[in-house]
């Protein structure tokens, strides 16, 4: 069971880092997408939503190629001694960011859109700079969206399987995550341990979803803050 | 997203006639196609990933001779073994080892007396880079590479053979952090073929008909023999004919052409 500890650790690290990275990436993107509509924004919205629709095998395949040693992207990294990002923790983080992007952008964008124009008109009347308005009006008022995004991304990354299977290489302590470990246990007919780990994930996922609903009820809708 | 779902289901309920028509059309389509599927003579074969290419050739020759269609699934022997225990509907299993067919026979899931060895597999160290692997396989000990791909040793016999070999040479502990595992020998092959892993252990059959890269065939005495056995799982005359064809000179010739030993 020692390797299970390593798998849990890798999974928690992966989900935490992915969540932090995605909050940073998704916030400006969601902000931009929430301000009006245009064809360019529709195109970007569609691209962001692709990972929901595409099979993980399609994402995994493209990532495997893009992070392989022959890819033009990787040749840029060759001078730094990086041949490929496949089979590396960094590669998994990149894969997870792509895979969970819509789960970060969508709730934050919704939260920004729900704010409407009024708070910004008020801020402008008070002569707040756009940056100041963003940090002291938009961010705090959209906190529910951020919390939802963080919880969804974290859980979704924990639940990742297909992409990791295709680019991970199952290196214990580095790229072997819990979902892969469960799959191996099932294949090895190690059902007692598979039950334990799968049960743990089930409880975890349920807890997160329940807390999402409770947060939703407690915080209410942002307009009534 | 839940809003969209709710909306969609409301749509579906509010237009019962359209929904019903679609369902009826679907049932009609299935009813038309299904008898055709059921009437065709089909057998389902679970094929160990290393045997993918010869199995395709054999199926083609067998279909030409008998008209029986061979539906094949490719994967790791260990994965098939656990699927068969859960009632997977395979008629035949072509395993990459002798242990799993033996266990299937022993537990009554395989039919007694149908088990036989169809090939002896060979382990090869292979790289897509033509200059990487020397004729004596010394490169393993030099360790000037980042990733060594193998098949998952627990579910794939070729992966287990690779680990056995590395342990025997005392290299396993040194190389363990560099080992990347494919779900089957086919995924290990693709890791190496794309260059993501500089080298790795594959089955000779996977590269026997190509000249790509560099290779070193591991001496047979340095790892436990990879004795690949077949077994009948469900009584079925077509499946028995398939196994007979596998043993026939025509079948054996195809197997030998991929570098396997047969006895």
């Amino acid at each position: 069971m020692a390797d299970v500890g390593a798998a849990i650790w890798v999974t928690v690290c992966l989900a935490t880092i992915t969540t932090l990275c995605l909050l940073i990436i998704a916030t400006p993107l969601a902000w931009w997408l929430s301000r009006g509509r245009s064809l360019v924004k529709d195109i970007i919205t569609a691209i962001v939503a692709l990972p929901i629709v595409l099979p993980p095998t399609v994402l995994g395949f493209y990532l495997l190629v893009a992070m392989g040693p022959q890819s033009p992207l990787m040749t840029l990294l060759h001078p730094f001694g990086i041949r490929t990002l496949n089979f590396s923790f960094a590669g998994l983080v990149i894969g997870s960011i792509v895979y969970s992007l819509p789960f970060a952008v969508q709730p934050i964008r919704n939260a920004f859109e729900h704010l409407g124009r009024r708070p910004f008109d008020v801020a402008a009347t008070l002569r707040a700079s756009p940056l100041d308005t963003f940090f002291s009006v938009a961010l705090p008022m959209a906190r529910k969206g951020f919390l939802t995004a963080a919880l969804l991304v974290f859980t979704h990354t924990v639940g990742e399987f297909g992409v990791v299977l295709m680019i991970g290489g199952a290196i214990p302590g580095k790229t072997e995550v819990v979902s892969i470990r469960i799959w191996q246990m099932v294949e090895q007919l190690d059902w007692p341990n598979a039950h334990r780990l799968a049960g743990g994930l089930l409880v975890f996922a349920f807890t997160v979803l329940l807390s999402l609903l409770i947060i939703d009820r407690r915080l209410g809708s942002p307009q009534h803050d | 997203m839940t809003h969209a779902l709710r909306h969609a289901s409301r749509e579906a309920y509010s237009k019962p006639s359209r929904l019903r028509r679609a369902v009826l059309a679907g049932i009609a389509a299935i009813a038309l196609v299904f008898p055709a599927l059921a009437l065709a003579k089909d057998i389902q074969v679970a094929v160990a990933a290393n045997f993918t290419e010869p199995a395709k050739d054999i199926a083609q020759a067998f279909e030409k001779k008998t008209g029986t269609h061979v539906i094949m699934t490719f994967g790791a022997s260990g994965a098939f073994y656990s699927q068969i225990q859960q009632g997977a509907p395979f008629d035949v299993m072509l395993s990459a080892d002798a242990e799993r067919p033996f266990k299937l026979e022993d537990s009554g899931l395989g039919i007694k007396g149908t088990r036989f060895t169809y090939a002896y597999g060979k382990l090869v160290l292979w790289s897509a880079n033509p200059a990487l692997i020397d004729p004596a396989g010394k490169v393993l000990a030099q360790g000037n590479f980042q990733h060594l791909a193998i098949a998952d040793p627990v579910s794939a016999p070729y992966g287990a053979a690779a680990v056995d070999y590395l342990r025997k040479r005392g290299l396993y502990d040194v190389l363990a952090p560099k080992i990347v595992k494919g779900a089957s020998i086919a995924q290990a092959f693709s890791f190496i073929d794309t260059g993501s892993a500089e080298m790795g252990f594959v089955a000779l059959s996977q590269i026997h008909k190509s000249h790509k890269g560099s290779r070193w065939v591991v001496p047979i005495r340095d790892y436990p023999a990879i004795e690949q056995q077949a077994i009948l799982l469900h009584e079925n005359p077509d499946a028995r004919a398939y196994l007979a064809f596998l043993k026939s000179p025509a079948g054996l010739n195809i197997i030998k052409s991929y570098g396997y030993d047969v006895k």
Side-chain angles (χ1 to χ4, degrees):
Chain A
M1 284 300 279
D3 51 341
V4 171
I8 293 174
W9 175 241
V10 172
T11 309
V12 170
C13 288
L14 180 66
T16 310
I17 294 172
T18 303
T19 307
L20 293 176
C21 290
L22 266 180
L23 287 181
I24 294 168
I25 296 168
T27 304
L29 190 60
W31 175 254
W32 177 67
L33 288 173
S34 69
R35 307 284 96 186
R37 294 202 44 189
S38 67
L39 181 63
V40 181
K41 285 183 186 180
D42 284 346
I43 292 171
I44 300 292
T45 305
I47 292 174
V48 167
L50 276 178
I52 299 181
V53 189
L54 285 175
T57 41
V58 172
L59 293 180
F61 170 62
Y62 283 135
L63 285 164
L64 189 69
V65 174
M67 300 197 297
Q70 267 103 42
S71 125
L73 281 172
M74 286 304 112
T75 45
L76 296 177
L77 294 178
H78 287 344
F80 305 100
I82 297 170
R83 224 177 56 83
T84 171
L85 285 174
N86 291 325
F87 322 127
S88 70
F89 184 76
L92 285 197
V93 171
I94 293 172
S96 308
I97 287 176
V98 174
Y99 181 64
S100 291
L101 183 65
F103 295 85
V105 173
Q106 209 47 51
I108 300 177
R109 180 187 175 172
N110 286 345
F112 282 149
E113 278 174 354
H114 263 104
L115 298 181
R117 284 259 19 116
R118 216 181 113 67
F120 302 99
D121 293 341
V122 174
T125 324
L126 297 170
R127 306 219 172 149
S129 73
L131 208 62
D132 189 21
T133 312
F134 179 76
F135 281 107
S136 38
V137 178
L139 281 193
M141 286 183 77
R143 63 183 186 275
K144 198 178 90 179
F146 283 96
L147 203 58
T148 309
L151 283 174
L152 278 180
V153 168
F154 192 91
T155 342
H156 195 237
T157 306
V158 170
E160 196 177 341
F161 175 70
V163 173
V164 182
L165 184 70
M166 289 183 76
I167 64 171
I171 307 174
K174 245 168 97 187
T175 62
E176 193 179 77
V177 298
V178 172
S179 59
I180 299 281
R181 202 67 205 98
I182 293 176
W183 180 64
Q184 288 172 343
M185 285 167 174
V186 174
E187 294 230 308
Q188 297 159 17
L189 301 173
D190 181 6
W191 286 30
N193 281 328
H195 266 302
R196 241 168 263 153
L197 209 47
L201 272 195
L202 187 68
V203 171
F204 165 76
F206 175 76
T207 313
V208 172
L209 291 177
L210 185 66
S211 23
L212 264 178
L213 290 171
I214 293 172
I215 290 165
D216 195 56
R217 200 158 43 86
R218 286 276 165 81
L219 287 182
S221 84
Q223 288 105 322
H224 304 298
D225 269 9
Chain B
M1 249 177 302
T2 51
H3 181 75
L5 271 180
R6 235 177 277 138
H7 185 70
S9 61
R10 212 181 301 135
E11 277 279 283
Y13 285 117
S14 66
K15 295 191 179 86
S17 60
R18 196 187 289 173
L19 183 70
R20 206 175 302 151
R21 227 179 294 145
V23 170
L24 285 176
I27 291 172
I30 292 167
L32 281 173
V33 175
F34 195 71
L37 289 177
L39 281 177
K41 288 206 300 178
D42 283 347
I43 56 166
Q44 291 207 35
V45 182
V47 181
N50 77 88
F51 203 64
T52 301
E53 291 309 317
K56 284 181 188 164
D57 288 359
I58 287 166
Q60 206 178 18
F62 179 69
E63 278 174 35
K64 212 166 151 191
K65 194 176 161 219
T66 62
T68 302
H69 184 49
V70 183
I71 302 170
M72 290 175 284
T73 310
F74 306 101
S77 302
F80 287 134
Y81 177 71
S82 54
Q83 286 168 15
I84 290 164
Q85 295 217 317
Q86 298 309 310
F90 297 116
D91 298 305
V92 170
M93 177 184 184
L94 302 185
S95 185
D97 67 356
E99 190 195 337
R100 289 180 174 96
F102 173 80
K103 281 191 192 158
L104 287 171
E105 184 179 40
D106 201 43
S107 63
L109 286 166
I111 291 170
K112 284 224 160 16
T114 60
R115 188 166 57 89
F116 69 96
T117 303
Y118 63 92
Y120 288 89
K122 290 174 195 162
L123 192 65
V124 188
L125 182 66
W126 180 58
S127 169
N129 177 347
L132 195 59
I133 295 174
D134 55 285
K138 290 193 179 113
V139 63
L140 272 177
Q142 288 155 2
N144 52 341
F145 52 88
Q146 286 173 355
H147 299 297
L148 176 76
I150 65 170
D152 181 5
V154 183
S155 57
Y158 279 86
V163 170
D164 271 335
Y165 172 72
L166 291 175
R167 282 198 197 284
K168 193 175 169 190
R169 271 191 60 185
L171 290 170
Y172 184 77
D173 293 325
V174 190
L175 292 178
K178 297 183 176 186
I179 291 178
V180 294
K181 284 170 279 183
S184 69
I185 196 77
Q187 199 186 13
F189 174 88
S190 86
F191 284 161
I192 306 162
D193 192 54
T194 56
S196 289
E198 295 101 313
M199 63 175 96
F201 287 100
V202 296
L204 177 61
S205 52
Q206 292 175 295
I207 54 171
H208 193 59
K209 294 197 171 177
S210 97
H211 297 285
K212 184 175 174 177
S214 50
R215 62 191 68 188
W216 171 65
V217 180
V218 182
I220 297 177
R221 60 178 183 281
D222 286 346
Y223 57 92
I226 303 176
E227 186 182 358
Q228 307 193 187
Q229 290 201 335
I231 187 163
L232 184 67
L233 300 169
H234 294 115
E235 199 49 77
N236 174 339
D238 296 321
R240 275 197 185 263
Y242 173 81
L243 285 178
F245 186 79
L246 197 65
K247 276 191 257 195
S248 74
L252 291 178
N253 276 337
I254 295 173
I255 297 173
K256 276 189 276 188
S257 76
Y258 281 91
Y260 291 100
D261 280 340
V262 293
K263 269 190 192 136

